[in-house]
Amino acid sequence: MLYFSEIYKEKVFTESKEYIGRIVDLLFLASETALITKFVVATKKKINLYVPSQYIHRNGIGFILSNNYETKEKKDNERSVLYQLQNQQIVDIDGAKVIRVNDVIIHDAPDFAVSGIDVGLLGLSRWIGLAKPIFAAMHQLKINPALNFIPWSEIDIEQVQNGRIVLKSEQEALKKLHPEDLAEHLEHANIQNVLRSLRSMDEEMSARVIADLNVDYQREVFRRFSYKHAGEILSLIEADEAVDVLLSLDSERREEILKYIDETKKKPIVHLLHLAKTPIGHLLSSEYITVASTVTVKEALEKVKKESREFSELQYIYAVNKDEQIVGVETLHELLLQKSDTPFYKIMNQNLILGRLTTPKEIALRRMVKYSIYNLPIVDENRKLLGIVSMQDVAKDLVERDL
Amino acid sequence: MSKKQFFVRLLPLLAVIGPGIISGSVDNDAGGIATYSLAGAQFGYSLLWVLLLTTFSLAVTQEIGARMGIVTGKGLGALIREKYGVRWTAFTMLVLLVSNIGTIAAEFAGIASAFEIFHVARFISIPIACAIVLFLVIKGNFQNLERLFLVVSAFYAVYIVSAVLSHPNWSLGVSSLFIPTVHLSTSFLITLVAVVGTTITPWGQFFIQDYVVDKNLAKEDLNIERGDVFLGSFVTNFISFFIIVACAATIFAHGLTITDAKDAAIALKPLAGQFASLLFAFGLLNASVFGAALVPVSTSYVITDSFGFGSGLNRSWKQAPQFYILFAGSLIIGALLVLLPFVPLLGILFWSQALDALLLLPILVFIYLLSNDRTVMKEHKNGRIVNFIVIITFLLIALSTAAFFITQFIPQ
């Protein structure tokens, strides 16, 4: 999770450590998913470069530009975060002036996108450098900061296209969130929005958006859609993912949906379905650490020290919410590099790669390889964490079977 | 045209008229009366030219504020926020807050001075006044308050009468309006600055713009509103002229000085004789109470609006806690400043006005930049004369203040 106030005026270097300039603005699409399409970098000579966001990534040091970056022109449908979002007045559906955009919340995985608006005091204080002390004081006193995040889904997208920030509901009915809940809400809202707008999206766009979505859409897909529609959606995603979804259903429903899957996709899906379908239940391990997303990095590391002494290994820390659902993950490496008073929800990766008890070992292994992770969290229907499966264990199991 | 028809024709005018006169009237608050009295008492007619210049400055800056409000539909704080971001807004709000707390302190100093004429100690008069103001604002109807104040402002007419009755040197008085005299003494220079600062305030700048936005004035109303602010500027300084003249003719001419606020009442002796003090106290009280009610409310409205918190008296405490905290806070801090035992009331009255002039400088910069910005003002950008007067005003304050500081270090 990033704040615009943190990105503004950040230095940008190329991969070969050449200094290019500072970020002064972000351009985004006025759509449900508000993807950030370009970064505006101001060079020393005061020229603004419009760099498509696929050339930019963030590492521990800052923002890095690929060496082969290109610049493009600003398109008409792109909006500016600095001029059209930040500091603007927000009105509710009745036209009553509500609040101002004090800061803009951006998530950076899988792609850079605007995920919400900060309308609280902390948002203001971040600009004048007072956020850290205020936040630390509140954490010490165990005061939970007020609900002050408005998720992007609460904003009327059409109005954004007209240059105004209008809420979809009245002020009283406004859904404001705690920062740590934003990720979850975003995920949920994203799925709803995507599924709702799938019809109007072109193939390429919807495939990309779905591919970027968390595996969580599975529940939604089958709660809402006809076999035909489910088949259409599954045709848009990777065979591995589709198989995992199909395997979580009973065979009757599976067969029905298979009928509607696109012919070109059907072959690899059916092929994967025929692979040894032994699920991974017996490989489940309980050697993992969970924290609430509101803990600080320091508190998370302390928990690791306290509770993982008898573990054979530990790679990741998982964040869970009040309902024990998994909401985020972070590697120990990242954790050690962060400042100790940073809240976990700020740095955690919300783009979770998950498995289920019905996920076949082969698929689980392919998934871990695809996303370069060493452990796969296994969740139930409600995304509650049941245990983890390590790549080592799965690979060993498969190797021994083959011998 | 029958009488009835005349009043009916007048009604829409009355809806639009008001802010310029209100804003102008607050310029003749306790701080104003004290500053003008000191100006006349210490320097006779020498500072009258400053008054003439500031009349133009006030008319121009108020007109800019009204025009910006009508054209953009937003207050000054909102414009600064949207154009220059959070940091500059925080800076400007800090400037405004300091300036306004100073003004609020001046109002309470005025109240305290008025009551001291009746031998009531400030430790009693101020807390009571504070409570009354809080009550008036929270429970009272603001419209009625404004109207009441406008009516009672007629009091200032006594200065006109008194000035005439004091047989001033009219030719000198009028010529001093047009012929500048400058003494390079610290007291002259700082009084010059204070005279400007009591007329043009950061407060007034935000107020006029917010007022026209609040009343939803449209471009058609622009000319009427111009008339209103010009009239307000003229009327307020018309009165200020007579305050200075009255003091020049009664106090300066007889070689007296003002050491305490109540000494300024001497200026009303030609009119009221032995009742001068009473009359003066009444006028001071009236100006101060209204200012004490209006300024904190206006301040908290501006600050909460530009930071995007809920604002306005029509919201409850729960909905807009920051608004009420700012309002009560600035009121109480202003009152507390006056309760400090070693603080001279006259000093607060005077120095708060000088401070206002200084704090006006950054505000003038923003006003200049915004009102010349085509993207903000569209075709209603500033004309050349307007820009010229704004720059002159800026220079007048800046140079006088600089000269003041320099003379501090040069032996007299």
Side-chain angles (χ1 to χ4, degrees), chain B residues 129-209:
Chain B
C130 203
I132 292 180
V133 169
L134 274 167
F135 179 78
L136 266 178
V137 173
I138 294 177
K139 295 289 178 181
N141 182 343
F142 220 67
Q143 286 273 63
N144 291 341
L145 261 173
E146 285 177 341
R147 299 225 174 91
L148 180 66
F149 176 71
L150 280 173
V151 167
V152 185
S153 312
F155 152 79
Y156 294 115
V158 303
Y159 269 104
I160 302 178
V161 179
S162 194
V164 170
L165 288 176
S166 64
H167 304 296
N169 187 337
W170 286 112
S171 57
L172 183 59
V174 172
S175 63
S176 302
L177 275 173
F178 301 99
I179 303 172
T181 34
V182 180
H183 307 158
L184 283 175
S185 66
T186 44
S187 50
F188 185 87
L189 288 165
I190 196 63
T191 312
L192 196 163
V193 173
V195 167
V196 182
T198 194
T199 316
I200 318 177
T201 57
W203 175 86
Q205 212 42 53
F206 283 91
F207 174 77
I208 185 75
Q209 194 162 338

Side-chain angles (χ1 to χ4, degrees), chain B residues 189 193 358 395-408:
Chain B
L189 288 165
V193 173
L358 200 58
L395 288 174
L396 183 65
I397 301 175
L399 291 174
S400 311
T401 313
F404 164 71
F405 280 114
I406 294 174
T407 53
Q408 289 274 33

Side-chain angles (χ1 to χ4, degrees), chain A residues 63 78 82 97 107 113 120 124 164 198 285 301 366 387 398:
Chain A
F63 288 89
E78 286 173 335
L82 182 63
K97 288 202 285 187
H107 68 269
L124 280 176
R164 299 173 64 220
L198 263 180
S285 157
L301 288 171
R366 285 160 75 113
L398 288 171

